Amino acid sequence: GESVGLHLPTLSVQEGDNSIINCAYSNSASDYFIWYKQESGKGPQFIIDIRSNMDKRQGQRVTVLLNKTVKHLSLQIAATQPGDSAVYFCAEIPISSGSARQLTFGSGTQLTVLP
Amino acid sequence: NAGVTQTPKFRILKIGQSMTLQCTQDMNHNYMYWYRQDPGMGLKLIYYSVGAGITDKGEVPNGYNVSRSTTEDFPLRLELAAPSQTSVYFCASSYRPGTNEKLFFGSGTQLSVL
């Protein structure tokens, strides 16, 4: 079946640098995408979302870019801080999920911020 | 505001035992979900509910049962625990799919079946 996947399982960045986490999705019918952050021992925490009618959305220190042509999603974190160290998941809601609006999660990228 | 609360946080079961994972939310969300997360993996949907009295299977429902008698509570039942059910279980809720899709997650229940 179609699924959400990630290019890299791990990413290490220096504190203060910008981070870019990538996600490839295969379901062209998905109309909503979310990025979640999961710290060790905790549940996923919402970061930012984007609908398929948008290419870019900005939050506080985070930006999500959506390229529907190549079915690619990215999360950019500006001035990465130690507290950003976590696993980051992208997730999508395919239109086919109907009224349940079920999220399909990727396997995650471990971001490590180096001092 | 407590959000989504799960109990217990940790549990060890023997093969064949049963247990109920509790989940309650105080945000008056209609939609609730149970996910499992295996080590190094993403979350997989077990069951979901679109409102009190309505439940449906997700991607990996075998070995589990749910009920939704109230808006607040969505317990997950394991009847005959198996080692394959060793995982971290997350309950989540959302307000209004289609307009506000954000899922709010509990802190998880780590279950080991030995």
Side-chain angles (χ1 to χ4, degrees):
Chain A
E2 297 182 334
S3 63
V4 176
L6 294 167
H7 291 304
L8 297 172
T10 62
L11 177 65
S12 297
V13 297
Q14 293 293 138
E15 182 178 354
D17 287 352
N18 296 334
S19 303
I20 299 177
I21 301 171
N22 296 304
C23 177
Y25 66 94
S26 57
N27 190 336
S28 58
S30 292
D31 64 349
Y32 181 68
F33 304 87
I34 308 178
W35 280 100
Y36 279 93
K37 172 187 179 182
Q38 187 175 25
E39 297 174 276
S40 180
K42 297 184 179 180
Q45 179 184 5
F46 173 88
I47 301 174
I48 193 168
D49 57 357
I50 188 168
R51 295 204 175 273
S52 59
N53 60 354
M54 303 172 67
D55 297 323
K56 179 180 180 179
R57 192 168 187 210
Q58 288 184 298
Q60 187 176 10
R61 282 202 308 119
V62 294
T63 300
V64 56
L65 298 176
L66 176 62
N67 185 331
K68 294 181 285 295
T69 301
V70 295
K71 290 183 280 188
H72 184 267
L73 192 69
S74 69
L75 176 70
Q76 300 178 1
I77 305 174
T80 311
Q81 303 170 359
D84 294 328
S85 292
V87 176
Y88 290 81
F89 293 96
C90 64
E92 62 176 332
I93 295 182
I95 293 177
S96 59
S97 66
S99 61
R101 304 294 291 169
Q102 299 170 34
L103 279 172
T104 298
F105 283 83
S107 55
T109 293
Q110 173 70 58
L111 175 65
T112 301
V113 181
L114 306 173
Chain B
N1 203 348
V4 180
T5 302
Q6 290 183 239
T7 57
K9 292 189 181 299
F10 304 94
R11 184 72 184 268
I12 297 175
L13 288 180
K14 294 182 179 179
I15 295 172
Q17 286 186 320
S18 61
M19 77 163 293
T20 299
L21 282 67
Q22 302 291 345
C23 175
T24 187
Q25 52 91 9
D26 61 0
M27 298 175 281
N28 201 32
H29 286 173
N30 283 325
Y31 283 63
M32 296 188 74
Y33 308 80
W34 274 105
Y35 287 88
R36 61 176 286 172
Q37 184 178 32
D38 297 329
M41 303 293 288
L43 285 78
K44 293 189 176 181
L45 183 65
I46 305 171
Y47 269 96
Y48 65 96
S49 170
V50 302
I54 306 170
T55 63
D56 209 343
K57 296 177 180 179
E59 182 182 358
V60 290
N62 291 343
Y64 307 94
N65 278 299
V66 294
S67 60
R68 185 93 181 273
S69 57
T70 66
T71 299
E72 295 78 19
D73 301 307
F74 190 42
L76 177 71
R77 179 82 176 164
L78 282 72
E79 291 293 350
L80 292 171
S84 61
Q85 293 177 305
T86 294
S87 190
V88 181
Y89 291 83
F90 290 100
C91 179
S93 70
S94 65
Y95 176 55
R96 187 179 298 169
T99 57
N100 186 344
E101 311 274 14
K102 283 189 283 187
L103 261 64
F104 294 84
F105 284 86
S107 57
T109 295
Q110 186 169 332
L111 175 67
S112 296
V113 182
L114 306 176

